[in-house]
Amino acid sequence: MTGSWAGYIAALASDARFGLPASPEEVTRVEKDLGIALPAELKLLLGECDGVVADYGANVVWSASELLHRNQGMRDADSLRDLYMPFGNLLFFGDDGGGDLFAFAVQGNGSIRRSDIFRWEHETDGRIWFAASLKDFLGRRLSQGG
């Protein structure tokens, strides 16, 4: 991605709000605590703006701390284990404001398989391909209004 993430996002969503940059230590903590190497694009975005809110208040990209908290919660909640397939193969990073989440696919060794992004549908437990990269995700997500 050439240019800034904030500039790209602001051109797509006039209501976009950005968090202050995440520190390298915060990003490293997320990777260490989840046992997952974050995709390079996501690390760069978090290092520029730690979270993106747009599309009428939806958390399009979570902050590093929210990303850690939400992924740990999805993996550890006993009540979710009874309802859904395991979440260990997904790295959730944002939502649509209505309950569905967006994620990268994770390999068994903790690396991201491809840059593809999937939409997890909370009502059906569907895991549907959504975008080919983070830039593509933002373009699709913000141009579709959710």
Side-chain angles (χ1 to χ4, degrees):
M1 161 103 193
T2 57
S4 76
W5 282 106
Y8 177 69
I9 295 165
L12 294 169
S14 61
D15 69 337
R17 296 187 319 269
F18 307 96
L20 297 173
S23 70
E25 295 79 19
E26 288 175 292
V27 173
T28 299
R29 178 173 178 237
V30 171
E31 291 181 312
K32 180 180 175 278
D33 288 359
L34 292 177
I36 297 171
L38 297 182
E41 283 186 315
L42 183 58
K43 287 170 78 165
L44 289 171
L45 188 147
L46 293 172
E48 183 181 326
C49 47
D50 191 19
V52 177
V53 175
D55 189 29
Y56 306 101
N59 291 300
V60 176
V61 178
W62 298 331
S63 67
S65 63
E66 182 75 5
L67 194 151
L68 176 60
H69 172 74
R70 297 283 297 268
N71 277 277
Q72 286 175 329
M74 296 290 287
R75 287 169 175 75
D76 296 342
D78 289 334
S79 61
L80 296 179
R81 285 190 194 111
D82 295 336
L83 294 173
Y84 304 116
M85 291 184 287
F87 295 117
N89 64 339
L90 297 172
L91 173 66
F92 296 107
F93 68 88
D95 63 70
D96 70 355
D100 292 348
L101 307 179
F102 296 95
F104 290 94
V106 178
Q107 290 183 350
N109 65 0
S111 65
I112 301 300
R113 205 170 41 199
R114 303 182 317 240
S115 60
D116 292 311
I117 293 170
F118 296 84
R119 181 182 199 127
W120 173 70
E121 297 179 349
H122 72 285
E123 293 162 339
T124 65
D125 197 22
R127 291 131 195 251
I128 312 299
W129 183 90
F130 188 83
S133 67
L134 187 58
K135 183 178 180 183
D136 184 34
F137 161 78
L138 291 165
R140 290 170 185 265
R141 171 70 181 80
L142 296 173
S143 69
Q144 292 180 0

